[in-house]
Coordinates of all heavy atoms in Angstrom, one line a residue:
K68 N 6.0 -24.1 -4.4 CA 7.3 -23.6 -4.9 C 7.3 -22.1 -4.8 O 8.3 -21.5 -5.2 CB 7.5 -24.0 -6.3 CG 7.7 -25.5 -6.5 CD 9.2 -25.8 -6.1 CE 9.5 -27.3 -6.3 NZ 10.6 -27.7 -5.5
A69 N 6.2 -21.5 -4.3 CA 6.2 -20.0 -4.3 C 6.0 -19.5 -2.9 O 6.4 -18.4 -2.6 CB 5.1 -19.5 -5.3
E70 N 5.3 -20.2 -2.1 CA 4.8 -19.8 -0.8 C 3.8 -18.7 -0.9 O 2.7 -18.8 -0.4 CB 6.0 -19.3 0.1 CG 6.3 -20.2 1.3 CD 7.5 -19.8 2.1 OE1 7.5 -18.6 2.6 OE2 8.4 -20.6 2.1
R71 N 4.2 -17.6 -1.6 CA 3.3 -16.5 -2.0 C 3.4 -16.3 -3.5 O 4.5 -16.0 -3.9 CB 3.6 -15.2 -1.2 CG 3.5 -15.3 0.3 CD 2.2 -15.7 0.8 NE 2.0 -15.6 2.3 CZ 2.1 -16.6 3.1 NH1 2.3 -17.8 2.8 NH2 1.9 -16.3 4.4
R72 N 2.4 -16.5 -4.3 CA 2.5 -16.4 -5.7 C 2.1 -15.0 -6.1 O 0.9 -14.6 -6.2 CB 1.6 -17.5 -6.4 CG 1.9 -17.6 -7.9 CD 0.9 -18.3 -8.6 NE 0.8 -19.8 -8.4 CZ -0.1 -20.4 -7.7 NH1 -1.1 -19.7 -7.1 NH2 -0.1 -21.7 -7.5
V73 N 3.1 -14.2 -6.3 CA 2.9 -12.8 -6.4 C 3.7 -12.2 -7.6 O 4.9 -12.6 -7.9 CB 3.4 -12.0 -5.2 CG1 3.3 -10.5 -5.3 CG2 2.7 -12.5 -3.9
L74 N 3.1 -11.4 -8.4 CA 3.8 -10.5 -9.4 C 3.9 -9.1 -8.7 O 2.9 -8.5 -8.4 CB 3.1 -10.5 -10.7 CG 3.1 -11.8 -11.5 CD1 2.4 -11.6 -12.8 CD2 4.5 -12.4 -11.7
V75 N 5.2 -8.7 -8.6 CA 5.4 -7.4 -7.9 C 5.3 -6.3 -8.9 O 5.8 -6.3 -10.0 CB 6.9 -7.4 -7.3 CG1 7.2 -6.1 -6.7 CG2 7.0 -8.6 -6.4
L76 N 4.6 -5.2 -8.5 CA 4.4 -4.0 -9.3 C 5.6 -3.1 -9.0 O 5.6 -2.4 -8.0 CB 3.1 -3.3 -8.9 CG 1.8 -3.9 -9.5 CD1 1.6 -5.4 -9.2 CD2 0.5 -3.2 -9.0
A77 N 6.6 -3.2 -9.8 CA 7.9 -2.6 -9.5 C 8.0 -1.3 -10.3 O 7.7 -1.2 -11.5 CB 9.0 -3.5 -9.9
N78 N 8.4 -0.2 -9.6 CA 8.6 1.1 -10.3 C 10.0 1.1 -11.0 O 11.0 0.9 -10.3 CB 8.5 2.2 -9.2 CG 8.4 3.5 -9.8 OD1 9.2 3.9 -10.7 ND2 7.4 4.3 -9.4
P79 N 10.0 1.3 -12.3 CA 11.3 1.3 -13.0 C 12.3 2.3 -12.5 O 13.5 2.1 -12.6 CB 10.9 1.6 -14.5 CG 9.5 2.1 -14.4 CD 8.9 1.6 -13.2
G80 N 11.8 3.4 -11.9 CA 12.7 4.4 -11.4 C 13.5 3.9 -10.2 O 14.6 4.5 -9.9
H81 N 13.0 2.9 -9.5 CA 13.8 2.3 -8.4 C 14.6 1.1 -8.8 O 15.3 0.5 -8.0 CB 12.8 1.9 -7.3 CG 12.3 3.1 -6.5 ND1 12.9 3.7 -5.5 CD2 11.1 3.8 -6.7 CE1 12.2 4.7 -5.0 NE2 11.1 4.8 -5.8
G82 N 14.5 0.7 -10.1 CA 15.2 -0.5 -10.6 C 14.2 -1.6 -10.3 O 13.8 -1.8 -9.1
L83 N 13.8 -2.4 -11.3 CA 12.7 -3.4 -11.1 C 13.1 -4.4 -10.0 O 12.3 -4.8 -9.2 CB 12.5 -4.1 -12.4 CG 11.9 -3.3 -13.6 CD1 11.6 -4.2 -14.8 CD2 10.7 -2.5 -13.2
E84 N 14.4 -4.7 -10.0 CA 14.9 -5.8 -9.1 C 14.7 -5.4 -7.6 O 14.8 -6.2 -6.7 CB 16.4 -6.2 -9.4 CG 17.4 -5.1 -9.1 CD 17.4 -3.9 -10.1 OE1 16.6 -3.9 -11.1 OE2 18.3 -3.0 -9.9
N85 N 14.6 -4.1 -7.3 CA 14.4 -3.6 -6.0 C 13.0 -3.7 -5.4 O 12.7 -3.5 -4.2 CB 14.9 -2.2 -5.8 CG 16.5 -2.2 -5.9 OD1 17.1 -3.0 -5.4 ND2 17.0 -1.2 -6.7
M86 N 12.1 -4.1 -6.3 CA 10.7 -4.4 -5.9 C 10.0 -3.3 -5.1 O 9.5 -3.5 -4.1 CB 10.6 -5.7 -5.2 CG 11.1 -6.9 -6.0 SD 10.7 -8.5 -5.3 CE 11.4 -8.5 -3.7
Q87 N 10.2 -2.0 -5.6 CA 9.6 -0.9 -4.9 C 8.6 -0.2 -5.8 O 8.9 0.1 -7.0 CB 10.7 0.1 -4.5 CG 11.7 -0.4 -3.4 CD 12.8 0.6 -3.2 OE1 13.9 0.4 -3.6 NE2 12.5 1.8 -2.6
A88 N 7.5 0.2 -5.2 CA 6.6 1.1 -6.0 C 7.0 2.5 -5.7 O 6.9 3.4 -6.5 CB 5.2 0.9 -5.5
S89 N 7.5 2.8 -4.5 CA 8.0 4.1 -4.0 C 9.1 3.8 -3.0 O 9.5 2.7 -2.8 CB 6.9 4.9 -3.4 OG 6.5 4.4 -2.2
A90 N 9.6 4.9 -2.4 CA 10.7 4.7 -1.4 C 10.2 3.8 -0.3 O 11.0 2.9 0.1 CB 11.0 6.1 -0.8
A91 N 9.0 3.8 0.2 CA 8.6 3.1 1.3 C 7.5 2.0 1.0 O 7.2 1.2 1.9 CB 8.1 4.0 2.4
M92 N 7.0 2.0 -0.2 CA 5.9 1.1 -0.5 C 6.3 0.0 -1.5 O 6.9 0.3 -2.5 CB 4.7 1.9 -1.1 CG 4.0 2.8 0.0 SD 2.5 3.5 -0.6 CE 3.0 4.8 -1.6
Y93 N 5.8 -1.2 -1.2 CA 5.9 -2.4 -2.0 C 4.5 -2.7 -2.5 O 3.6 -2.6 -1.6 CB 6.5 -3.5 -1.2 CG 6.2 -4.9 -1.8 CD1 7.1 -5.7 -2.5 CD2 4.9 -5.4 -1.5 CE1 6.7 -6.9 -3.0 CE2 4.6 -6.7 -2.0 CZ 5.5 -7.4 -2.7 OH 5.1 -8.7 -3.2
L94 N 4.3 -3.1 -3.7 CA 3.0 -3.5 -4.2 C 3.1 -4.8 -4.9 O 4.1 -5.0 -5.7 CB 2.4 -2.5 -5.3 CG 2.1 -1.1 -4.9 CD1 1.7 -0.3 -6.1 CD2 1.0 -1.0 -3.8
G95 N 2.2 -5.7 -4.7 CA 2.2 -7.0 -5.4 C 0.8 -7.5 -5.7 O -0.1 -7.1 -4.9
M96 N 0.6 -8.2 -6.8 CA -0.7 -8.8 -7.0 C -0.5 -10.3 -6.7 O 0.4 -11.0 -7.3 CB -1.2 -8.7 -8.5 CG -1.7 -7.3 -8.8 SD -3.5 -7.2 -8.2 CE -3.8 -5.5 -8.8
Q97 N -1.3 -10.8 -5.8 CA -1.1 -12.2 -5.4 C -2.3 -13.1 -5.9 O -3.5 -12.7 -5.8 CB -1.1 -12.3 -3.8 CG -0.9 -13.6 -3.3 CD -0.3 -13.7 -1.9 OE1 -0.2 -14.8 -1.3 NE2 0.1 -12.6 -1.3
L98 N -2.0 -14.3 -6.3 CA -3.0 -15.2 -6.8 C -3.0 -16.4 -5.9 O -2.0 -17.0 -5.6 CB -2.6 -15.7 -8.2 CG -3.4 -16.9 -8.8 CD1 -4.8 -16.5 -9.1 CD2 -2.7 -17.4 -10.0
L99 N -4.3 -16.8 -5.5 CA -4.5 -18.0 -4.8 C -5.5 -18.8 -5.5 O -6.6 -18.3 -5.8 CB -4.9 -17.7 -3.3 CG -4.8 -18.9 -2.3 CD1 -3.3 -19.3 -2.1 CD2 -5.4 -18.5 -1.0
L100 N -5.2 -20.1 -5.9 CA -6.2 -20.9 -6.6 C -7.0 -21.8 -5.7 O -6.6 -22.0 -4.5 CB -5.4 -21.8 -7.6 CG -4.7 -21.0 -8.7 CD1 -3.7 -21.8 -9.6 CD2 -5.7 -20.3 -9.7
P101 N -8.1 -22.2 -6.2 CA -9.0 -23.0 -5.3 C -8.3 -24.2 -4.7 O -7.5 -24.9 -5.3 CB -10.1 -23.6 -6.3 CG -10.1 -22.5 -7.4 CD -8.7 -22.0 -7.5
G102 N -8.5 -24.4 -3.4 CA -7.9 -25.5 -2.6 C -6.4 -25.2 -2.2 O -5.9 -25.9 -1.4
E103 N -5.8 -24.1 -2.6 CA -4.4 -23.8 -2.2 C -4.4 -23.2 -0.8 O -5.3 -22.7 -0.3 CB -3.8 -22.8 -3.2 CG -3.5 -23.5 -4.6 CD -2.7 -22.6 -5.5 OE1 -2.8 -21.3 -5.4 OE2 -2.1 -23.1 -6.4
W104 N -3.2 -23.4 -0.3 CA -3.0 -22.8 1.1 C -1.6 -22.2 1.1 O -0.6 -22.8 0.7 CB -3.1 -24.0 2.1 CG -2.9 -23.5 3.5 CD1 -3.6 -22.6 4.2 CD2 -1.9 -24.0 4.4 NE1 -3.1 -22.5 5.5 CE2 -2.1 -23.3 5.6 CE3 -0.8 -24.9 4.3 CZ2 -1.2 -23.5 6.7 CZ3 0.0 -25.1 5.4 CH2 -0.2 -24.4 6.6
A105 N -1.5 -21.0 1.5 CA -0.2 -20.3 1.7 C 0.1 -20.3 3.2 O -0.6 -19.7 4.0 CB -0.4 -18.8 1.2

Side-chain angles (χ1 to χ4, degrees):
K68 291 281 180 201
E70 251 175 59
R71 302 297 191 259
R72 193 191 290 108
V73 177
L74 292 181
V75 178
L76 282 55
N78 192 306
H81 286 274
L83 297 183
E84 67 286 0
N85 290 317
M86 302 196 299
Q87 290 176 251
S89 71
M92 290 190 282
Y93 157 104
L94 297 176
M96 283 279 182
Q97 182 161 174
L98 170 70
L99 198 64
L100 292 170
E103 288 185 336
W104 181 61

